[in-house]
Amino acid sequence: MNLLIILAEVSLVIFVFFLVNWLVSKVFKLLLKASVVKSEGRSIKTLRQNITGLLIATCLVLCILIVGANGFLLYRGANLQQYTLLLIHRVPPGFWVTLGIGIAQSIGILVLAAIAQKFLHSWLKVASIRAKNIEQNTADDKSIDTFFDNLNNIVTCGIWLWAVISCSQFLKLPAVVSQYSYILLRIYIIIAVGLLIPKAVTAIIDSLDALSIRYSSPDNLLRFYDRLRHLIPFLKRCLEFVIYVCVATLVIQQVQLIANIAVFGSRIVKIIGIILISRVLFEVVYLLVEEVLFKDRNLSEIQTSRRLTLVPLIRSFLQYLVYFGAAVSILYTLDINPTPILAGAGIVGIAVGFGAQTLVNDIVCGFFILFENYYLVGDYIQAGKSEDKIVEGIVEAIELRTTRVRHPNGQLQIIRNGDIGSITNYSKQYIFAVVEVSVPYK
């Protein structure tokens, strides 16, 4: 009888060990599938092995203590059956009732979590198939599959974490365990959703990109989409930064010690928004300028050259104007008054201007070149001072400071407008060519 009691106590400890080990194994398996910690797979496996070793060591120590304590009682001549029953009777009856109800509720929660996981997996699989078949979507199906796979792993892991927290409440564990468990669960959900949203945004943008290309035609506004399509990677990066900043802000708000830092999150989001809007505004306005300048298809060759000459200048001017406005807006976002900075910059600019006479000379010469129509984009010219190297070729761009000339051999030559020197324009109106032709006397 004494041997059976010892075996029962040891078996109970081993059963609890296997139960805890199964729960830990389930949690770590879900963590390895989740995208939140997928990059740390080796570290997670190492931690799992360490926890398993700790559980095994604890189980062995408890079994040895049980056998040793019972052996000591037998050595003293105690009756193990009566001693065990006395210990059981000392425990309040309500504890066993509460423990039984808690165990039953925990089992019910675990079963419910398993059923919810199976239902969720089937539902997300159907949703993934339907998302890829919407209007025969030509977007990348891999991005859609990745999104739904990550969503399945994240929600599954969240369900099991919620089930474990509920079990701790049902088993009447200390309140501090549930409190910190809920904090960890909220942080996990915030990070998981924050890492999932960029994948959803990527799938949506890819789908809209494919639909825009499909339905674009010369008769609707989508004809401009192909010329703005290069902004898509920049848009994706900005949205990712915004999402990550929001996730970091929400996570910081969960920790009371550093919750005050979260106020900077909104400012960073505003700065990213200003940068995105300024870039998009610059590209759209530049596109509209090009559309207005070249709307007339019956332009003469000289008119086309003049407008091609103006386009780089307008682009440079718009770029400086838009980015200057963006910089001022960012300063206001950071609660910095830009007026003293601009005043100081004006004074510094005057001082620098005296030392940057070459720069001013280049800009003034550039204006005179355009105003007096020395050459235009597309003209074949020779330019430069006689004592320096002569630049020859087709004019590709006239900018505020420099002129870009493409040599017939292919080299791109960049000459400062202040050093343009004497100019020979071979494309201005007409030229004479003197050619000797040999004619036989007959």
Side-chain angles (χ1 to χ4, degrees), residues 81-91:
Q81 183 178 1
Q82 293 180 355
Y83 186 80
T84 304
L85 292 175
L86 181 62
L87 288 177
I88 294 174
H89 286 303
R90 286 182 179 178
V91 178

Side-chain angles (χ1 to χ4, degrees), residues 11 40 47 75 94 138 150-151 158 186 208 297 401 403 425:
S11 300
E40 302 293 334
L47 180 61
Y75 174 76
T138 57
N150 290 324
L151 178 61
R186 288 198 298 267
L208 293 177
R297 302 298 180 184
R401 289 188 57 252
T403 296
N425 192 336

Side-chain angles (χ1 to χ4, degrees), residues 2-3 5-7 9-10 62-80 83-84:
N2 294 331
L3 183 60
I5 292 174
I6 296 173
L7 289 176
E9 293 175 353
V10 172
L62 289 176
C63 291
I64 293 172
L65 289 176
I66 289 172
V67 173
N70 287 312
F72 178 73
L73 292 174
L74 289 175
Y75 174 76
R76 294 182 58 182
N79 190 335
L80 286 183
Y83 186 80
T84 304

Side-chain angles (χ1 to χ4, degrees), residues 124 248 387 427:
L124 289 178
E387 62 272 13
S427 302

Side-chain angles (χ1 to χ4, degrees), residues 271-382:
I271 291 173
I272 296 173
I274 290 171
I275 294 173
L276 174 62
I277 292 173
S278 62
R279 175 72 184 278
V280 174
L281 180 63
F282 166 69
E283 296 291 342
V284 171
V285 173
Y286 178 65
L287 178 62
L288 293 177
V289 169
E290 280 192 332
E291 184 69 14
V292 171
L293 289 176
F294 297 99
K295 185 177 182 180
D296 187 2
R297 302 298 180 184
N298 299 320
L299 295 175
S300 64
E301 185 176 350
I302 295 178
Q303 290 175 327
T304 303
S305 297
R306 287 178 178 175
R307 299 190 182 193
L308 286 173
T309 303
L310 290 175
V311 165
L313 292 174
I314 296 174
R315 182 181 179 87
S316 299
F317 177 75
L318 285 175
Q319 187 173 8
Y320 293 136
L321 180 63
V322 172
Y323 290 161
F324 177 77
V328 173
S329 301
I330 290 173
L331 290 176
Y332 276 117
T333 302
L334 297 175
D335 293 335
I336 299 174
N337 188 3
T339 305
I341 298 176
L342 295 177
I347 297 173
V348 173
I350 294 174
V352 172
F354 287 107
Q357 296 180 13
T358 304
L359 175 63
V360 177
N361 183 37
D362 293 339
I363 295 175
V364 172
C365 290
F367 277 113
F368 277 109
I369 289 170
L370 293 171
F371 182 74
E372 298 187 8
N373 198 17
Y374 293 152
Y375 53 83
L376 299 173
V377 171
D379 289 353
Y380 191 95
I381 67 170
Q382 262 188 357

